[in-house]
Amino acid sequence: MVSKNLETIYVMWLREMKRFFRAKSRVVGTLAMPFFFLLAMGFGLKPSFNFPGMPQNINYLDFLVPGIIGMTMLFNSMFAGISVLWDKEFGFLKEIMVSPAKRPAIVLGRIAGGVTTALFQGFLLLIISLFLGFHIVNPFGIFLAFIFMILIGIGFIGFGVAIASVMEDTQGFSLIMQLIVFPIFLLSGVFFPVSNFPSWLKIIALADPLTYGVDGLRGALINFSQISLPLNLIILSLFAFSMVVFGSWLFSKSQV
């Protein structure tokens, strides 16, 4: 039974890999927006970067890059959810749902595939940012950043699968995800320190799971975080686990 589940996870993961690398436009498209954010915001605001409470040795590009990497991981949740709806539309989901494969294994395979593609894009963006002038303060922190990227990917891809499981069309899903994803993105402290938010907005930002992912990435890569790294890791781990369980449960209840 375990081997069958592992085989299902592997097959779903491999399918996501093939779909991703065959769609060259998707690879370019998902990197284009983060890259232009780095160029426009990183170099546009770099000369005027002087936020209260920020260390003097951190420029705006260094502050921005971890947030943009977190944003890249977040936006991939949309593609993971849309792929579920595409499979519904073209009948693949119905075929695999009536197979002996367990539904939680199907979800885990999709999440594994989505996380892998998101990690590929995240690390590619990190490499590009090094050529733009980004400085990694602690090279050993790359491993910790890798963990934070995995947790962000698992959590939000699980969330995307959960939303897609209760929807029927891709247009409606895209609208709903935009209403949800952009506030999550903007309130996570990607562009500005959360500590500079008004008190009421800071409370909302601290309820945003991406806040802990972005702060954790900054702590790992540039040794600047406003929340302790262990707390970031614990909260993000709980979020990722809960989204996997929630997404698996909704997927198992979905009708094809």
Side-chain angles (χ1 to χ4, degrees), residues 11-47:
V11 169
M12 297 303 297
W13 172 84
L14 185 61
R15 181 173 181 266
E16 291 299 314
M17 292 298 97
K18 290 181 177 180
R19 290 175 66 176
F20 177 75
F21 286 107
R22 286 174 180 172
K24 302 296 189 298
S25 59
R26 176 179 168 186
V27 179
V28 175
T30 52
L31 282 175
M33 185 171 65
F35 177 72
F36 285 121
F37 266 123
L38 283 178
L39 288 180
M41 301 291 290
F43 290 101
L45 292 179
K46 185 177 179 179

Side-chain angles (χ1 to χ4, degrees), residues 27 74 84 98 103 114 118 136 156 172 210 252:
V27 179
L74 169 68
V84 173
V98 299
R103 294 192 177 189
I136 299 177
F156 284 105
L210 186 61
S252 66

Side-chain angles (χ1 to χ4, degrees), residues 141-181:
I142 294 177
F143 175 73
L144 184 58
F146 178 76
I147 295 175
F148 275 106
M149 290 167 69
I150 289 176
L151 291 174
I152 294 171
I154 290 174
F156 284 105
I157 292 171
F159 175 74
V161 170
I163 298 297
S165 297
V166 297
M167 301 199 68
E168 297 297 331
D169 64 286
T170 55
Q171 291 183 343
F173 174 82
S174 297
L175 291 173
I176 293 296
M177 288 301 288
Q178 287 180 30
L179 289 174
I180 297 174
V181 166

Side-chain angles (χ1 to χ4, degrees), residues 130-142:
L130 293 175
F131 290 97
L132 296 177
F134 176 65
H135 303 93
I136 299 177
V137 176
N138 180 16
F140 296 102
I142 294 177

Side-chain angles (χ1 to χ4, degrees), residues 53 79 172 192 194 198 217:
F79 289 105
F192 309 104
V194 172
L217 286 171

Side-chain angles (χ1 to χ4, degrees), residues 15-113:
R15 181 173 181 266
E16 291 299 314
M17 292 298 97
K18 290 181 177 180
R19 290 175 66 176
F20 177 75
F21 286 107
R22 286 174 180 172
K24 302 296 189 298
S25 59
R26 176 179 168 186
V27 179
V28 175
T30 52
L31 282 175
M33 185 171 65
F35 177 72
F36 285 121
F37 266 123
L38 283 178
L39 288 180
M41 301 291 290
F43 290 101
L45 292 179
K46 185 177 179 179
S48 61
F49 180 75
N50 190 24
F51 293 117
M54 292 292 297
Q56 296 297 320
N57 60 335
I58 296 179
N59 61 48
Y60 189 65
L61 182 65
D62 291 341
F63 177 84
L64 183 65
V65 167
I68 296 299
I69 292 174
M71 179 194 78
T72 303
M73 304 297 295
L74 169 68
F75 283 1
N76 272 274
S77 65
M78 292 186 65
F79 289 105
I82 287 176
S83 68
V84 173
L85 293 173
W86 284 339
D87 288 345
K88 281 185 180 180
E89 184 176 347
F90 293 108
F92 174 79
L93 193 60
K94 184 175 183 179
E95 292 180 7
I96 198 165
M97 293 284 256
V98 299
S99 72
K102 298 293 184 181
R103 294 192 177 189
I106 297 172
V107 174
L108 289 176
R110 287 186 176 277
I111 291 175

